[in-house]
Amino acid sequence: MTTTAPAEAAVYKSPSGAAKRTPRHPGRIRRIGLPYLLLLPALLLELLVHLVPMVIGIVMSFKELTQFYIRDWGTAPWAGISNYKVSVDFDAPVGEALLHSFLVTVAFTLVSVGLCWLIGTAAAIFMQGTFRGRGLLRALFLVPYALPVYAAVITWVFMFQHDNGLVNHVLHDQLHLTDKPSFWLIGDNSFVALLTVSVWKGWPFAFLIVMAGLQNIPGELYEAAALDGAGMWQQLRRITLPSLRPVNQVLVLVLFLWTFNDFNTPYVLFGKSAPEAADLISVHIYQASFVTWNFGTGSAMSVLLLLFLLVVTGVYLLLTSRGRKTADV
Amino acid sequence: MAPPRSFLWSKRIFLTLLTAFVLVPVYAMVSSSLKPLGDVSGKFRWLPSHLTIRPYIDIWSTIPLARYFVNSLTVAGAATVCSVVIAVFAAYAVSRYDFRGKRVFTVTVLSTQMFPGILFLLPLFLIYVNIGNATGIALFGSRGGLILTYLTFSLPFSIWMLIGYFDSVPRELDEAALVDGCGPLGALFRVVVPAAIPGIVAVAVYAFMTAWGEVLFASVMTNDNTRTLAVGLQGYSTLYNVYWNQIMAASLVVSLPVVAGFLLLQRYLVAGLTAGAVK
């Protein structure tokens, strides 16, 4: 096991002589241990806050864990795979509700990530070059992202009120688009409400990343394309979008994971139990665990969710890395 | 070469609509925070019947907002400082050294990013309670427990971003420092860290925002004394009345530090993302 740093340092140092390094034997031993020492705090914290709880969570999912055992959860009786059976029995109420919530979450995530990506990319491309007010506009666009979730979502709750909200005032009183004021935070419209808030809050992140990615595209590419007679739209399709591909792969994955696991937005928007049409899986599991006090089933659902995310992420990484390879050839 | 008219018009229309979409809630928040209670309890109106700064005075007495503010500031501040320091060490190790288990480490840390928070909420709660019972260190319900939790939330992303950033700092620089007699930590703090300041600022901004905005763990793991703004703001809706003007005023006050900090430092964030995440 050698460290590359000393080796390369020696190459770098060669003109003035590498003799200085050889006697420092104790230093080298320390240096081999050093990376581990530097990683130790991060490792310990990840263990304490993520990995050990995950293992406990998995163990809990095999136990019959109700509020009676919560003080001393180790003594809870084993349940085998019954928690999982209940969760995936789609003909029974618990499983049916979980499946519904899962499908709602998938639909919500796909549409939300798609819109965030589309709006963010379009905004970043249109904001290229210089024009009056560009700096101000850019700062303004980042405001939704910078706002704390609860402050932003509370404002939307205010706007979505049935009787006195801004949304109904505009749609019904001012534009006369609806026959009567709609309910936004209950019933089917709640999906639209959730989506609106999620996109409003999320697109600036895509904007930020794509903006950063655009800065890495060399200007000569555009100059060469322009000389060859490629118009603005063609340059966009042939240069900008393909060059953004590696950026987009990371961006879409991060957006997907954040949106899929989002708890804060639906929780602040709807409270502890979301309307059926907007029953995202994280809130659903929270409710299964903390409201109906069935921690075993809640844990089993969480593990299933994690497995799903692992598979999706794995497949995604596999597909995109293969895509990158073929693009390079 | 001037862009074609079609491009210019698409740009104008798109940016105008987007600005409206972004601004309407911001306007609703700001204008409602300056309205008397009568205005916000009735039909929505674009303009206040008369301007008042009363909500900004009342927010401090309706709920103990100042205490929640200090709690949030302590928790988010401490989590940010710890998270940045720990991420700098870890990213330096990964960026500059080859060691056994390097890939396992990066993959593990990154994959914790995909854990649904709900999966480890209850186990973490139990661990904190058990540590408290065994050692007397109060983690559950304390600011310490929340700090510990939050600093790991931003850690994976921070480490990942800093690895990219450190990689972009030429190795020759810190190797020269090593040769000149600096220890590895000397090289880190005198050469790599100063050269990577934009990345580190970006990571700090991200860590602070993550902690300042978190709701789930804040609502389960705090008590009356340690409550953060994320949970505290719910106090403005009582059984009899929802003080929307005060909620909006408080939301604005609570948002100002993060939004101002973010906008001031956003250049660093873009620079940090360019070198770090986007490669």
Side-chain angles (χ1 to χ4, degrees), chain A residues 74-113:
Chain A
T75 61
W78 283 97
I81 56 162
S82 70
N83 287 324
Y84 288 90
K85 269 194 189 146
V86 170
S87 303
V88 297
D89 182 1
F90 301 136
D91 296 324
V94 176
E96 196 193 347
L98 183 69
L99 180 66
H100 171 81
S101 154
F102 173 77
L103 294 177
V104 167
T105 312
V106 170
F108 163 76
T109 307
L110 290 180
V111 180
S112 175
V113 170

Side-chain angles (χ1 to χ4, degrees), chain B residues 207-225:
Chain B
F208 193 84
M209 282 173 52
T210 309
W212 194 260
E214 207 281 333
V215 179
L216 174 60
F217 286 76
S219 62
V220 176
M221 292 202 174
T222 55
N223 58 32
D224 282 349
N225 283 318

Side-chain angles (χ1 to χ4, degrees), chain A residues 169-248:
Chain A
H169 181 65
V170 171
L171 293 183
H172 182 71
D173 304 348
Q174 297 191 314
L175 299 176
H176 307 291
L177 291 174
T178 48
D179 295 337
K180 52 181 192 296
S182 330
F183 285 98
W184 292 101
L185 300 178
I186 52 173
D188 287 347
N189 285 337
S190 55
F191 186 83
V192 179
L194 181 63
L195 200 61
T196 311
V197 181
S198 170
V199 170
W200 186 81
K201 187 95 187 66
W203 77 266
F205 181 74
F207 171 63
L208 205 63
I209 300 275
V210 174
M211 232 174 14
L214 286 175
Q215 289 179 3
N216 287 348
I217 305 176
E220 297 93 65
L221 279 182
Y222 291 105
E223 283 162 26
L227 278 180
D228 289 343
M232 203 77 182
W233 293 111
Q234 259 186 319
Q235 290 180 21
L236 187 67
R237 252 193 47 223
R238 298 283 162 83
I239 302 173
T240 312
L241 291 179
S243 309
L244 282 177
R245 197 139 134 208
V247 177
N248 281 333

